[in-house]
Amino acid sequence: MASEKREFQAEVSRLLEIVAHSLYSEKEIFLRELISNASDACDKLRYLSLTEPALIAGDAEFKVTIQPDKGQHLLTISDNGVGMSRDEMIGNLGTIARSGTAAFVSKLSGDEKKDVGLIGKFGVGFYSAFMVSKEVEVISKRTGEEIAHRWVSDGKGEFTIDETTRATRGTTITLHLNEAGEEFAEPLRIKEIVKKYSDHIALPVVLVEDGKEETLNAASALWMRSKSEITAEQYKEFYHHVAHAFDDPWLTLHNKAEGALEYATLLFVPGTKPYDLFQPERKNQVKLYVRRVFITDDAQELLPPYLRFLRGIVDSEDLPLNVSREMLQHNPVLARMRTQITKRVLTELTKKAKDDPEAFITFSENFGAVLKEGIYEDRENQSEILPLARFRSTAGDALTSLDEYVARMKPGQEAIYTIAGENLDALKRSPQLEGFRARGIEVLLLTDPVDEFWMPALGKYQEKEFKSVTRGSADLDKIAPEDKKDETPEAPASDVASLIAVLKLALGDAVKDVRSSKRLTDSAVCLVADDNDMDMHLERLLRQHKQLNADSKRILEINPKHSLIAGLVALAGKSGASDSLSDFAWILLDQARLLEGETLPNPNDFAKRLSSVLARGLSA
Ligand code: ADP
């Protein structure tokens, strides 16, 4: 096939422009990226060879070779891994295949300074070679194929691809170094970079200099080394490699289990939140190894979904090497590892929450909502997970645990009060909170939708019932208001009852009930759900996600201490039901709906009624 010219996917071109012009100071990371890719390619082939040993017959020693040529300003990185076919080269080196790079592009602002910072945050994989090269040539032969292909590009919008020869399988990347890249043809510089970033790579990284070969790294799986031999820096670099991440790990868990089951784990809790944590396709990404051989990064049975923020590896001594991905599905060894690893992770999180509550806030903000899924998904560990759950609350800006909440409960308070919604500021202003605030009763502000699922399912914590302040009657009588000044007289109950009768008549089917409120102090009205109905926010949430069609009727609560209600009580006493009172009834209801953040079923009617009531007020 003749040489073919192709254009990069538009996103890649944009990316390359930034990469090429970037003043990103740590250009050396390109070498880490290329070594990392080479090592992944070897891992892939090693896995394939488990079932097809012929693939590596005669060439079973995987390695990455680096050969600089100072005089020609060249740097060559080769591997004897799985290689790429023509289509794979076009797909992998011309489009954005990988999620990290895709995230990078989606975050680009056009402001060069900011965008360059992102290179360090996401890493740009193979494309980082263009930071140091004026031209990049990739020659690759896919294992098992006869023909090799050459991919060449100067990183300016196009690449060419044609057929070529390569004696053995694998990939050779030749960088024609640019001015900024010249230093990377210097052997000492290469040694330094490999030591810094790639020491943990489990296969030899070999420097070829004057025909002599020198292995630059320890070339043993990092997780098999003893903890005392591993520096924090090495853990971090391994995390970057294994997770394709560029932040610092928040927590590193390195263990060897030696009992009925034998395995090593090197797991990380990332320091930042990945953008796809809540996407349904987001899965466990911890890699499974068997006796140092990479098996899969898609072993969903390895960890429960609520620990899907973890990155790293698990290396089992017990599973058979030729374990297929299908076999993993109901594997008792894997199931037992999962149980043990889950417990271990929860124990470590509990420890961290206790020893470093400050740092635990970062964790909660990043992953707390995911962890909470475990409260209903993993009954067995529920009592471990519950104390790790954190919440916003009316008590202050700090996140709080349930235990802390319970410790602060008022004498006479029997329930754990909650209110749910997306927006923290809007929640804090909810009228339903007024009566609680006046009595100094703390209310948890639930902004993680997951809370609305496990709380009703669980019902209680430490024998204290979870109770939404927007549902059922507010039994606040047992606790006296803190603010004794609130001696605002209430209209006599019988007069309020007459107004309520008039309002009910006017609103008919639009509400389930109208009643006098205990939870309001400042606002005139609010809506609440009936005791047996679904919480209002949950219902809105389910309707938004088309999980629910029904629309429960609400209870309108009125505040008999509010001057507007007092005025209406007087009006109802004078004239009974009237057009004007009917207008007021609807305005009160719509006002309560607006306070809930709902859209009005009929904004036109609302505007008309409001205008006519205001006009009457002006002419009076
Ligand atoms: P990532 O490595 O994060 O997936 P890259 O942009 O660095 O992203 O590489 C894109 C893809 O190109 C890789 O996923 C891999 O499929 C392929 N690739 C890159 N380098 C090699 C290599 N040395 N051998 C085989 N395939 C490679």
Side-chain angles (χ1 to χ4, degrees), residues 14 18 104 107-118:
R14 231 176 114 205
I18 290 163
F104 173 85
K107 292 265 159 48
L108 291 180
S109 62
D111 172 344
E112 182 156 346
K113 271 224 187 84
K114 277 192 205 144
D115 293 346
V116 165
L118 290 175

Side-chain angles (χ1 to χ4, degrees), residues 310-437:
L310 289 172
R311 310 302 294 260
I313 65 98
V314 174
D315 186 357
S316 162
E317 299 290 327
D318 306 305
L319 289 168
L321 252 182
N322 60 357
V323 65
S324 69
R325 283 167 217 201
E326 294 70 49
M327 268 171 69
L328 291 174
Q329 262 163 31
H330 300 287
N331 188 295
V333 173
L334 202 63
R336 271 160 48 216
M337 280 188 355
R338 170 186 166 124
T339 309
Q340 288 188 9
I341 298 169
T342 303
K343 290 226 184 291
R344 174 111 221 170
V345 171
L346 292 176
T347 306
E348 293 295 329
L349 287 176
T350 305
K351 220 159 79 207
K352 190 88 175 166
K354 199 164 140 252
D355 297 348
D356 195 350
E358 195 75 13
F360 196 72
I361 292 172
T362 309
F363 169 81
S364 301
E365 280 167 352
N366 287 336
F367 305 117
V370 178
L371 186 69
K372 283 171 179 175
E373 291 171 15
I375 299 171
Y376 62 86
E377 279 175 5
D378 188 356
R379 290 297 154 94
E380 203 188 315
N381 290 306
Q382 199 175 59
S383 56
E384 259 67 50
I385 306 170
L386 269 167
L388 296 174
R390 296 288 179 273
F391 308 84
R392 302 273 162 206
S393 118
T394 53
D397 290 333
L399 287 170
T400 182
S401 69
L402 288 175
D403 289 330
E404 288 163 339
Y405 178 97
V406 170
R408 284 190 295 261
M409 279 171 65
K410 291 254 142 181
Q413 183 185 345
E414 276 155 18
I416 297 174
Y417 290 105
T418 66
I419 183 166
E422 300 75 273
N423 181 313
L424 190 63
D425 290 328
L427 268 188
K428 284 184 188 160
R429 290 193 298 262
S430 300
Q432 292 95 339
L433 290 176
E434 290 169 1
F436 293 86
R437 200 168 273 140

Side-chain angles (χ1 to χ4, degrees), residues 33-34 36-41 44 79 81-84 88 92-93 95 97-98 101 124-127 140 170-171 173 244:
E33 301 288 295
L34 297 183
S36 187
N37 281 349
S39 146
D40 287 349
K44 274 183 211 158
D79 65 71
V82 69
M84 282 178 277
E88 283 170 332
N92 293 335
L93 311 181
T95 60
R98 142 194 181 200
T101 314
V124 289
F126 167 75
Y127 301 112
S140 191
T171 303
I173 300 181
H244 282 300

Side-chain angles (χ1 to χ4, degrees), residues 2-124:
S3 165
E4 193 182 331
K5 207 170 233 171
R6 293 244 183 173
E7 277 183 18
F8 284 114
Q9 184 189 25
E11 287 84 353
V12 175
S13 286
R14 231 176 114 205
L15 174 87
L16 284 173
E17 214 161 289
I18 290 163
V19 168
H21 295 126
S22 86
L23 300 172
Y24 187 54
S25 52
E26 291 165 66
K27 292 191 195 294
E28 64 193 34
I29 57 137
F30 83 93
L31 192 55
R32 163 186 72 190
E33 301 288 295
L34 297 183
I35 293 174
S36 187
N37 281 349
S39 146
D40 287 349
C42 292
D43 276 350
K44 274 183 211 158
L45 181 55
R46 201 192 318 242
Y47 176 74
L48 293 176
S49 72
L50 294 176
T51 45
E52 220 180 315
L55 288 177
I56 58 167
D59 183 10
E61 300 299 321
F62 291 104
K63 65 174 179 180
V64 183
T65 310
I66 306 177
Q67 188 160 7
D69 181 337
K70 229 172 131 177
Q72 302 292 319
H73 306 303
L74 294 176
L75 183 64
T76 305
I77 296 109
S78 307
D79 65 71
N80 55 348
V82 69
M84 282 178 277
S85 65
R86 185 176 190 276
D87 286 351
E88 283 170 332
M89 282 174 104
I90 293 172
N92 293 335
L93 311 181
T95 60
I96 289 181
R98 142 194 181 200
S99 51
T101 314
F104 173 85
V105 173
S106 73
K107 292 265 159 48
L108 291 180
S109 62
D111 172 344
E112 182 156 346
K113 271 224 187 84
K114 277 192 205 144
D115 293 346
V116 165
L118 290 175
I119 294 180
K121 197 157 169 230
F122 291 103
V124 289

Side-chain angles (χ1 to χ4, degrees), residues 37 63 78 83 88 137 159 172 202 227 278 286 298 303 310 347 358 391 398 406 572 593 613:
N37 281 349
K63 65 174 179 180
S78 307
E88 283 170 332
E137 179 194 70
F159 61 87
T172 302
K227 285 189 203 182
F278 289 99
V286 170
D298 188 33
L303 287 168
L310 289 172
T347 306
E358 195 75 13
F391 308 84
V406 170
R593 285 170 169 155
V613 165

Side-chain angles (χ1 to χ4, degrees), residues 547-564:
Q547 305 268 341
L548 190 77
N549 267 324
D551 205 347
S552 311
K553 293 214 174 65
R554 301 298 173 209
I555 296 168
L556 178 68
E557 289 199 350
I558 59 172
N559 178 3
K561 290 189 174 173
H562 193 279
S563 55
L564 173 60

